[in-house]
Amino acid sequence: MLRTISLSLFLILVSSCEKDEVLSPAFYACDDSLSNSLHPNSEQYSNLIQNIVNSGVPGMMLSVHDNENGYWSKAFGFADLASKIPLASCNITRVGSTVKTFTAVTILLLQEEGLLDIDDPITDYLSNADIRGLENASQSSIRQLLLHSSGIYNYIQNPQFQTASLNDLIKIWQPEELMSYARNKDSYFPPGTDVLYSNTNYILLGMIIEKVTGKAFFEVFKTKIFVPLGLSYTQFAATDPVPDGIIRGYVDLYSNLNLTNATYYSGWDYFTADGGLISNSYDLAIFMTQLFQGNLLSKESLNEMMSWKAPKGGYGDGFETFYGLGIFLIETAYGPAYLHSGDAVGYFASMVYFPEQEITISWAVNGNYGKVDEFTQSKEAMEKIFDTVLAE
């Protein structure tokens, strides 16, 4: 999930917390046989994670795939600081908005089945009650939701939502409660004229999936993606919001690496298709590899997914970035890369595919905000990871 909540407000509300519970190693036990220690670059990849964790990151898992050597995964640091449980690459974690790529793939698969057309107006599938008060919704197409080109207001940016969320950090939000913070708000631009990230788009896409299938959107994910790809570590939060075995998440409130446990905070995406995915770097690597090597969508659908559009406002001080359908293209020193990242309070994950090298890199950490972000999700941190994997 794209972070827009004020860190200063968050800091005030969670500056005091109860002592962490202590859990047994059995709580986090899983089949940790993913490392592929025979990979020729295993040592340098391991050193990379170790160095990042030694900077003060609670724990990090990294997965890499190339066609010659297959999958490699490793983790260092802790799954649980209070219990001193080492992190394993098979552990599960929150991966936030990486789910948007799963949502987009599901919509494109439904199009392949003839159940919808992404150029249809969303009013063909959603009722007036569904879209009431959402400026631009009645003029927007499914494609524009996927591309973030609808201009529909992002509910997370509403200061009233941020205050309500932070005043009750363990509240479990229902979809309509979230949507209420986008209703009766001005749109950002007319549909199709620009691109701007909005989580509201992906709540609506989840609703469309449910309308055309008659099933919960996350059950459709399971049937069409999780099971066919063998993503055995992947589930959706709606079925179990804080499942046994999920690693603890931490926030660096004061940018001094004095971490606060945030595992149970901010359950606003447990029932919507804009976040809420639980997985690990290994399953994310499988998903990205199979997707962009043509083993999930048809060639035509994959080409539609990669119909890139540049934001008129530029891309800030990060990578040059272009929007696709549930995916982004970034320009790197190693050529183009297809990327989606995800943020939840206490967690961050990113999945990247380099088409010229046919290499996938994914990583997940159980910490964010403050200095943790500098080491794990800044442009400089990402370049360090890319250099380690891709440099000759």
Side-chain angles (χ1 to χ4, degrees), residues 289-301:
T289 300
Q290 296 304 308
L291 172 60
F292 289 109
Q293 293 193 357
N295 300 320
L296 188 52
L297 292 173
S298 69
K299 183 177 180 180
E300 292 74 20
S301 293

Side-chain angles (χ1 to χ4, degrees), residues 103-112 115-122 125 140-147 205 208 300-301 303-305 307 325:
T103 302
V105 166
T106 300
I107 289 284
L108 290 166
L109 288 170
L110 294 174
Q111 177 175 252
E112 291 179 11
L115 294 177
L116 55 79
D117 187 305
I118 65 170
D119 288 313
D120 289 339
I122 67 173
Y125 305 93
S140 294
S141 67
I142 296 174
R143 183 188 297 273
Q144 289 166 341
L145 297 182
L146 291 166
L147 187 62
L205 288 167
I208 291 171
E300 292 74 20
S301 293
N303 286 339
E304 282 200 288
M305 193 174 202
S307 300
L325 307 187

Side-chain angles (χ1 to χ4, degrees), residues 98-342:
T98 61
V99 78
K100 290 184 173 67
T101 310
F102 290 76
T103 302
V105 166
T106 300
I107 289 284
L108 290 166
L109 288 170
L110 294 174
Q111 177 175 252
E112 291 179 11
E113 295 173 17
L115 294 177
L116 55 79
D117 187 305
I118 65 170
D119 288 313
D120 289 339
I122 67 173
T123 51
D124 285 1
Y125 305 93
L126 301 178
S127 69
N128 290 335
D130 292 330
I131 64 170
R132 71 186 185 283
L134 296 179
E135 188 170 333
N136 284 10
S138 62
Q139 295 86 42
S140 294
S141 67
I142 296 174
R143 183 188 297 273
Q144 289 166 341
L145 297 182
L146 291 166
L147 187 62
H148 293 290
S149 65
S150 71
I152 295 172
Y153 183 81
N154 185 357
Y155 74 88
I156 288 181
Q157 290 189 329
N158 187 328
Q160 291 180 316
F161 166 73
Q162 295 181 15
T163 300
S165 176
L166 294 168
N167 276 326
D168 189 353
L169 287 165
I170 61 172
K171 174 182 170 65
I172 295 177
W173 292 77
Q174 298 302 317
E176 179 49 41
E177 293 178 285
L178 300 175
M179 292 292 286
S180 70
Y181 290 97
R183 301 191 194 280
N184 304 310
K185 292 294 182 181
D186 292 341
S187 60
Y188 298 119
F189 45 77
T193 61
D194 201 354
V195 284
L196 184 65
Y197 196 94
S198 174
N199 287 278
T200 311
N201 289 321
Y202 276 73
I203 294 184
L204 294 171
L205 288 167
M207 294 166 62
I208 291 171
I209 292 170
E210 295 184 339
K211 297 281 187 178
V212 302
T213 65
K215 300 176 181 178
F217 68 84
F218 48 86
E219 292 295 339
V220 183
F221 290 172
K222 181 177 179 180
T223 300
K224 296 190 177 299
I225 303 175
F226 301 171
V227 172
L229 295 185
L231 305 184
S232 58
Y233 301 102
T234 301
Q235 62 192 81
F236 199 80
T239 59
D240 191 356
V242 189
D244 285 354
I246 191 168
I247 63 178
R248 308 296 91 174
Y250 301 92
V251 288
D252 180 18
L253 297 178
Y254 299 97
S255 293
N256 62 1
L257 300 176
N258 185 12
L259 302 175
T260 298
N261 189 335
T263 304
Y264 295 95
Y265 292 166
S266 296
W268 63 73
D269 56 5
Y270 291 166
F271 301 102
T272 55
D274 63 324
L277 194 65
I278 294 170
S279 188
N280 59 23
S281 65
Y282 181 74
D283 270 9
L284 294 182
I286 293 174
F287 172 67
M288 288 291 275
T289 300
Q290 296 304 308
L291 172 60
F292 289 109
Q293 293 193 357
N295 300 320
L296 188 52
L297 292 173
S298 69
K299 183 177 180 180
E300 292 74 20
S301 293
L302 198 55
N303 286 339
E304 282 200 288
M305 193 174 202
M306 297 185 290
S307 300
W308 309 111
K309 186 176 180 67
K312 290 182 178 178
Y315 48 88
D317 58 358
F319 293 99
E320 184 177 4
T321 302
F322 302 85
Y323 284 61
L325 307 187
I327 198 72
F328 297 93
L329 181 150
I330 60 172
E331 294 291 354
T332 77
Y334 302 95
Y338 310 146
L339 168 144
H340 212 300
S341 297

